[in-house]
Amino acid sequence: MNVFSELVHSVYDCKSYGTFLKDRKRKTFLFGFLLVAIYFLLTMIVPFVRFQMSTGGIVKIIDEMVPDFTIANGRLDVEEQFEFAEGDTYFFVDTKNEAMDEEMILENLRRYGTVLIADSENLVVKSNGQVQSLQISDLDIDITKSEIITMFRPFVNIAIAAVLVIAFLFMEASFFFGVIFVALLGMVVASCMQAKLTFGELYKLGVYTRTTPLLIKAVFSFLPFGLPFFWIISLGISLGYLAGAIRSMNTRDLGGQPVVFHSEEAALEDRWNRPEEDYNRWDNSDDK
């Protein structure tokens, strides 16, 4: 059974979990990696693509928010007055008036943590509690808004790609770390069901039990509401699948007794163990 078939069977067929238990470790890892990749695609890539298509991207949003400006010959020129205030940030640019209002500057410096106020010749900046005042001519640059956007566009794309890669790796690590808790609680479930499964076997089964919870979580990411304490529900679903898998491993051939799994070392030892017999089959002394 290939990995994609296992994704489907892990949702509806608890009897397949006995087959999953025979998978090699690298195949189980590939299953978990692919499962998280699908979840990442649905919850991160699809919304990001929709955002890009509906807005044109972050660069376009910045282009629309920031007014056209030009810095040339030591002067800043902006066609219209620009003012932006949100949270602890305040921007104000007006190059049509003679000079900035000092009272307005001091008031906004006290009120906001990040401030940028400019006229045609002067610039006041507040950042990290530090206030700096300088003249536009001191910058010694000639540039326009379009040139700045063109310059920083590649860096924005690289930053977005880096954030997505880091988010994906974090999801992968969180997934395999979270399965540890499924395996630990699975030991209690296995003990109650009298199934002698090792922690490694429970961990392997735990990877497959995460399919349905992650798919449900992905679906709810598209809805305007969510389920409170879903992590508890998610864990309960995984343990439910684990109990179903253990139950499906109980066969009539064993007289109703649960299947007993051993580690590889124990399996090698048990392979040569034979039940004691009341006689020696090679002893022909009675025939003499």
Side-chain angles (χ1 to χ4, degrees), residues 168-182:
F168 176 71
L169 294 177
F170 179 78
M171 281 189 179
E172 290 285 355
S174 299
F175 171 82
F176 286 102
F177 180 77
V179 176
I180 294 177
F181 295 96
V182 177

Side-chain angles (χ1 to χ4, degrees), residues 230-254:
F230 180 76
W231 66 274
I232 298 178
I233 299 174
S234 173
L235 188 58
I237 293 173
S238 291
L239 294 178
Y241 270 94
L242 186 60
I246 295 174
R247 188 179 299 108
S248 68
M249 296 175 190
N250 297 337
T251 62
R252 294 182 180 179
D253 295 337
L254 298 174

Side-chain angles (χ1 to χ4, degrees), residues 83 169 267 286:
E83 186 174 20
L169 294 177
D286 294 341

